[in-house]
Amino acid sequence: MKNYNIIKYCFFFLIISSCKNSSAQNPENWTSKQLTEPSELVATLKANKNVPVIFSVGPGAIIPNSIEIGMVKDEKNLAKFQEQISKLPKSTNILIYCGCCPFEHCPDVRPAIALLQRMQFTNYHLLDLPHNIKTDWIAKGYPTLNK
């Protein structure tokens, strides 16, 4: 009976541990007010007024005027992003995007935003691509970089 209790507690511990580790991502570290709708960015790009500094923190730059950083889940790319933004005033209008996958699975937007927060930037936004860049930007006919 004693062994049965030990096995039962071990099994319970394994279930709790696996549930804890299986959460898809950390919670969002941005607010809904920090989301920029794709159509809003398109209008800003067309007007060519108050265009933010746009960083692609994912697998590739698609949007015109983007500075390609690469996937910031990789330390070398996060360091590259830090180097780029360290040259900017803390109040710079910054917009980041990834678009590799839905936000809840994205490995890149959270580290980028966390870095902006740590470096005390005050005017940063995230392009609202809840599905991916293909669905939320390209399929809508929005402008893309010619590569």
Side-chain angles (χ1 to χ4, degrees):
M1 194 67 167
K2 190 175 183 182
N3 286 341
Y4 176 75
N5 284 337
I6 292 171
I7 292 171
K8 185 171 69 172
Y9 288 121
C10 288
F11 182 72
F12 178 75
F13 177 77
L14 285 173
I15 290 173
I16 297 298
S17 295
S18 66
C19 290
K20 195 176 183 182
N21 293 331
S22 71
S23 60
Q25 271 290 343
N26 293 326
E28 293 174 355
N29 57 355
W30 62 88
T31 67
S32 59
K33 291 179 183 178
Q34 291 174 305
L35 292 175
T36 297
E37 289 300 316
S39 59
E40 183 183 334
L41 179 58
V42 169
T44 299
L45 291 171
K46 283 182 181 176
N48 201 24
K49 289 187 179 181
N50 301 319
V51 176
V53 179
I54 305 169
F55 290 100
S56 171
V57 297
I62 300 291
I63 299 171
N65 298 358
S66 295
I67 299 167
E68 187 169 353
I69 298 297
M71 298 177 79
V72 296
K73 70 177 184 175
D74 299 330
E75 288 296 322
K76 67 179 172 74
N77 292 332
L78 189 60
K80 180 180 174 184
F81 183 49
Q82 182 171 357
E83 181 183 325
Q84 289 284 322
I85 62 176
S86 68
K87 302 172 188 175
L88 302 172
K90 301 294 184 199
S91 61
T92 301
N93 184 8
I94 295 172
L95 182 125
I96 64 166
Y97 73 94
C98 177
C100 70
C101 59
F103 280 155
E104 66 262 18
H105 302 294
C106 183
D108 297 301
V109 294
R110 286 167 185 78
I113 289 175
L115 180 62
L116 289 163
Q117 291 169 339
R118 276 195 310 275
M119 293 181 70
Q120 299 180 338
F121 279 85
T122 59
N123 192 18
Y124 58 89
H125 300 87
L126 173 62
L127 187 60
D128 192 6
L129 302 172
H131 302 100
N132 58 51
I133 192 87
K134 184 177 180 184
T135 301
D136 301 316
W137 188 272
I138 297 170
K140 292 183 178 184
Y142 294 150
T144 58
L145 288 172
N146 296 326
K147 291 188 175 190

